[in-house]
Amino acid sequence: MEPYELSISELREKLRKKDISSVEATESVLGRISEVEPRVDAYLEVTAEAALDMARRADLAIGRGEDGLLLGVPIGVKDIINTEGIPTTAGSRILEGFRPTYDASVTAKLKEAGAVITGKLNLDEFAMGSTTEGSGYKPTKNPWDLERVPGGSSGGSAAAVAAGECLGALGTDTGGSIRQPAAWCGLVGIKPTYGRVSRYGVIAFASSLDQVGPIARTTRDAAIMLRAIAGFDPLDSTSVNKPAPDYEAVLGAEVKGMKVGVPCQYFAAGLDPEVEARVRDAISRLEELGVETIPIDLPHAEYGVACYYIIAPCEASSNLARYDGVRYGPRVDEGGGLIGMYRATRDKGFGPEVKRRVLIGTYALSAGYYDAYYLKACRVRTLIKNDFDRAFQKVDAVVCPTTPTPAFKLGEKSSDPLSLYMSDVLTLSCNLAGLPGMSVPCGFTGGGLPVGMQIMARHFQEEVIFKLAHAYESASEWSSMRPPL
Ligand code: GLN
C-alpha cells in the first residue's frame, strides 16, 4: 500500500513507530497529486514546498518524542479558509491573487496539531452551489466517475480525499456542502453543531448557517480532525464556550438500545430508488446491531428549501457587500466614478450564481419585502427547529439519506438552478436548526456511484453521531473502497 492510501490513523501509527517519515508520506501524496490532478482538478493551489517544509519540521518533532493529533499528516484546506501568505480565493475571480495576512483559527489549529498543509481546494464560488461547476476557475471531477461532479460546494475537498491527494480535508457546510460531497465521493463528512468550530478567518457566506468541518475516509479520521479544530475561540462571537471532547474515545462504544428516528418526509417522492434501498439496508444493519428505529414526523421539512433559499441569499447579499474593488482583490475601473468602479469590479468579479443570490437577497431584504420574505423565513426556520426538538424527545439521532440522488453528470443541472436547489432538500434543515450532521458511506449504486447515509443528533452531541456511524462502518466494508482512478 502506498502512503497516500493510508487513513490518518494508520499513518499516525506508522509515524509514531518511525516506520515511515512525514517527508516520505508527503512526497507520496505530492506524487499522487502529480499523477491524478490533471484528471481530477481538486486543487486551486498545491503548496508543495511549504508542505515539505512542514513535513521536515514534523519529523524533527517526532524525533524529539513530541506528539500532535495530526503531527506529520498531509491535510488539504478548502479555499474559503484563510491561510496566511497563501492565495485564498473562495473560488471567486473577485479574490484572485488575494493573500490573507493571517490564518483562520482552524488553519492555526491544524498547524498546532502538526498537520502538513498540502494546498487549497476548489469549491463553488463563495461556497454557493452543489457541484463545484460554480467555481470561478474550473470544475472538479468525481474520482469515482470522471464524467460526474464530486458534489459541492466542498467538492475539491471531497475529490482530493477520495483520490488520495491528501488524507483528510477541511470543508465548510452552510446547507450541505460537507455532507453532500462526502456522500458523492464515498467519504465521511461531518458538519459540527453551529458554534462548535470557530469561523474566524473563514470567508463568510451565510453567517447564521456556516460551519467548518472535516471530510475524511473513516469515522476515526473525522473524529481526529474534528477534535483538532473544535473548541471555543474568543475571536468568533458565535463560538460556544464548551470544551471539545475526545471524539475518538467514543468509537467502538455499544450502540445497543440507542433510539434512532426515521423521518417519513425524508423518504418521499423524488428519492432515487437505489439510494433509498442502500439507506434502508444501512438502517436494517443498525437494527441488527441493536439500535431501535422509530418512525418520526418532521412536518415542516417540506419548507426547508424555500426557507434556506431566502435566508442564505439575504445573509450572502450583506456579507458580499465588502467586495467592492477597494478593500480586497482586483479592481476594474473603466470610468464612471466610484459607483462605476464598484459596478465594473462586481460585474467582472462575480459569477452568475453569486449575482443571482445577491439579487435575491437584496430584493428579499428591501423595505416592503422584508416581512414577507426574510422575517417569514426566519419564523419557518423556528418551526423546522421545533420539529427536531420534538423528535429528539423520543430519539437519540435521526437517520435519512444525505442526498436524493447519486452524483450527476457534469453539465447535467448547470442550466437549471432551481432543480439544483431542490437537490439540497435533505441537508438544509440540519443547518437551519443548527444541529450536527454527518454523512457516512452506505454502499454503491449498480453503476458504482457512492451513496451516503445522514445521521443528525441534538446540539453538541457529535459523540452520538460518531458512535452510531462508527458502529455501522465497522459492520460494513465501504470505508475500505477506493475509486478506480
Ligand atoms: N448547495 C447549497 C447552496 O448552494 C449549500 C452550499 C453550502 O453548504 N455551502 O447554498
Side-chain angles (χ1 to χ4, degrees):
M1 205 192 236
E2 297 295 326
Y4 70 78
E5 294 174 284
L6 297 170
S7 68
I8 293 174
S9 58
E10 287 166 344
L11 174 61
R12 230 174 40 166
E13 219 27 58
K14 287 188 188 292
L15 288 167
R16 279 177 185 159
K17 290 199 195 131
K18 308 217 171 66
D19 288 346
I20 185 176
S21 70
S22 175
V23 167
E24 285 165 335
T26 304
E27 280 170 346
S28 165
V29 166
L30 293 172
R32 179 69 172 170
I33 293 174
S34 312
E35 182 193 342
V36 301
E37 184 58 12
R39 283 173 287 155
V40 178
D41 278 322
Y43 278 89
L44 286 173
E45 181 92 23
V46 178
T47 50
E49 280 314 308
L52 286 168
D53 255 8
M54 288 172 153
R56 277 189 283 270
R57 270 181 276 140
D59 283 332
L60 289 174
I62 294 167
R64 290 192 298 268
E66 289 173 27
D67 208 355
L69 279 170
L70 294 166
L71 188 54
V73 179
I75 300 288
V77 174
K78 186 179 184 179
D79 201 29
I80 199 162
I81 297 172
N82 276 356
T83 41
E84 184 183 344
I86 293 167
T88 300
T89 66
S92 182
R93 291 285 173 183
I94 212 158
L95 282 173
E96 196 166 2
F98 171 65
R99 286 174 195 265
T101 53
Y102 67 99
D103 275 331
S105 294
V106 287
T107 309
K109 285 192 166 216
L110 283 184
K111 290 181 179 173
E112 270 163 41
V116 168
I117 296 177
T118 50
K120 304 303 292 288
L121 296 160
N122 197 23
L123 67 154
D124 291 289
E125 189 175 1
F126 286 102
M128 298 176 192
S130 312
T131 65
T132 70
E133 294 168 291
S135 165
Y137 297 89
K138 59 184 180 184
T140 296
K141 323 297 185 318
N142 190 319
W144 291 92
D145 177 348
L146 295 168
E147 290 180 6
R148 291 182 187 265
V149 300
S153 64
S154 313
S157 301
V161 176
E165 297 182 83
C166 54
L167 270 57
L170 291 186
T172 59
D173 190 314
T174 304
S177 281
I178 288 174
R179 291 158 287 154
Q180 183 256 27
W184 285 0
C185 291
L187 301 166
V188 175
I190 179 164
K191 180 200 91 73
T193 308
Y194 186 77
R196 178 53 100 188
V197 177
S198 167
R199 292 101 46 87
Y200 177 72
V202 179
I203 295 172
F205 161 14
S207 306
S208 76
L209 301 159
D210 299 341
Q211 261 294 291
V212 183
I215 297 182
R217 294 188 197 130
T218 65
T219 49
R220 183 172 299 280
D221 287 2
I224 295 168
M225 287 188 72
L226 181 57
R227 187 173 177 207
I229 59 168
F232 178 58
D233 179 7
L235 296 171
D236 175 359
S237 62
T238 65
S239 131
V240 172
N241 197 350
K242 271 183 190 280
D246 178 358
Y247 301 106
E248 223 189 329
V250 304
L251 305 180
E254 185 66 69
V255 293
K256 201 165 173 213
M258 286 178 77
K259 293 193 174 75
V260 154
V262 182
C264 53
Q265 286 85 357
Y266 283 53
F267 289 84
L271 183 58
D272 178 277
E274 285 191 283
V275 170
E276 171 159 11
R278 292 302 94 76
V279 176
R280 294 234 186 250
D281 287 350
I283 293 173
S284 309
R285 187 62 61 89
L286 284 174
E287 285 172 340
E288 286 158 25
L289 294 169
V291 173
E292 187 187 338
T293 55
I294 299 170
I296 57 162
D297 200 26
L298 297 171
H300 297 93
E302 62 173 307
Y303 304 111
V305 173
C307 176
Y308 173 89
Y309 278 100
I310 293 291
I311 292 175
C314 284
E315 293 183 14
S317 72
S318 166
N319 274 325
L320 269 54
R322 73 190 74 172
Y323 304 103
D324 56 6
V326 177
R327 283 171 277 206
Y328 307 91
R331 171 181 301 185
V332 184
D333 198 350
E334 296 161 342
L338 183 64
I339 300 294
M341 187 279 288
Y342 287 164
R343 183 173 293 158
T345 299
R346 288 167 70 85
D347 182 39
K348 294 259 159 36
F350 289 144
E353 184 57 29
V354 172
K355 286 179 184 160
R356 185 175 298 123
R357 307 249 184 146
V358 169
L359 287 172
I360 293 172
T362 307
Y363 178 83
L365 287 177
S366 56
Y369 293 108
Y370 181 94
D371 289 4
Y373 295 108
Y374 184 70
L375 196 62
K376 190 160 201 177
C378 290
R379 290 193 172 130
V380 174
R381 179 180 191 169
T382 303
L383 297 175
I384 290 173
K385 179 185 171 290
N386 292 347
D387 283 355
F388 280 102
D389 289 347
R390 222 168 293 123
F392 284 127
Q393 288 173 2
K394 288 191 292 193
V395 298
D396 302 303
V398 171
V399 297
C400 60
T402 307
T403 58
T405 67
F408 342 116
K409 287 236 159 94
L410 282 143
E412 192 180 324
K413 303 243 179 178
S414 36
S415 57
D416 188 354
L418 202 57
S419 99
L420 257 190
Y421 296 172
M422 294 304 292
S423 74
D424 295 333
V425 60
L426 304 178
T427 47
L428 301 174
S429 296
C430 178
N431 302 72
L432 290 167
L435 300 168
M438 176 188 279
S439 183
V440 62
C442 70
F444 292 84
T445 65
L449 299 174
V451 177
M453 168 166 70
Q454 184 172 215
I455 309 178
M456 294 175 267
R458 297 184 190 99
H459 295 109
F460 297 101
Q461 296 209 343
E462 285 85 1
E463 289 118 304
V464 169
I465 298 177
F466 275 112
K467 236 188 254 180
L468 284 164
H470 183 76
Y472 171 71
E473 179 188 70
S474 309
S476 64
E477 67 272 32
W478 316 123
S479 69
S480 60
M481 310 281 234
R482 297 285 179 270
L485 256 185

